[in-house]
Amino acid sequence: AIQREREIIGDPTLEKIYLESGVVLHLSGHHHAFYPGWKDGVAYVSQACLGGGPRRLIGDSARSPHSFTHVTFQPNGEFEIAVYRGPDFERSVNFKSLPKEIRSPNAVLKRLDLVK
């Protein structure tokens, strides 16, 4: 999200731990902007907010809608991400409405649906 560009994305120490440990999914909050990204075998999913303060995504002018993330894990280790937007939380967020990638000074995240 805007004003959160330097948080987590591109942290080489964290990425090394993830790769060595077999981490495949990182859920983060506090950014107040939903983005399902992927880098080097790890899905980085930034959560939107349910309260005040939704932020704009890097490279986008619109604020992230209020929403919550639903993760479904399959027995084979695969997972699916769905995001439901407010106010009724019955409509899902279309990933194609999000930027194809976001960049921080240290890394690029590709939108998750473009790599899976």
Side-chain angles (χ1 to χ4, degrees):
I2 300 295
Q3 299 179 338
R4 299 284 191 227
E5 296 91 344
R6 298 188 187 273
E7 297 177 4
I8 297 176
I9 301 172
D11 181 325
T13 304
L14 182 63
E15 289 177 6
K16 182 178 181 211
I17 290 169
Y18 284 179
L19 292 173
E20 291 173 353
S21 302
V23 171
V24 295
L25 176 62
H26 171 106
L27 299 171
S28 64
H30 195 67
H31 291 176
H32 293 208
F34 170 69
Y35 191 77
W38 181 91
K39 181 181 183 298
D40 297 332
V42 178
Y44 293 87
V45 181
S46 176
Q47 310 302 294
C49 74
L50 288 171
R55 297 182 190 274
R56 291 183 295 124
L57 285 173
I58 298 167
D60 200 353
S61 61
R63 293 189 180 274
S64 183
H66 288 93
S67 58
F68 74 89
T69 304
H70 183 264
V71 182
T72 304
F73 293 96
Q74 306 298 327
N76 66 0
E78 295 287 321
F79 58 89
E80 295 177 12
I81 305 287
V83 178
Y84 297 95
R85 52 188 303 154
D88 57 9
F89 303 104
E90 292 181 3
R91 296 176 295 144
S92 61
V93 172
N94 182 348
F95 286 15
K96 292 178 181 176
S97 70
L98 302 170
K100 289 183 179 183
E101 62 183 38
I102 57 172
R103 297 176 176 271
S104 78
N106 301 319
V108 175
L109 291 183
K110 299 223 180 267
R111 199 175 68 214
L112 190 57
D113 64 308
L114 298 176
V115 294
K116 282 201 140 202

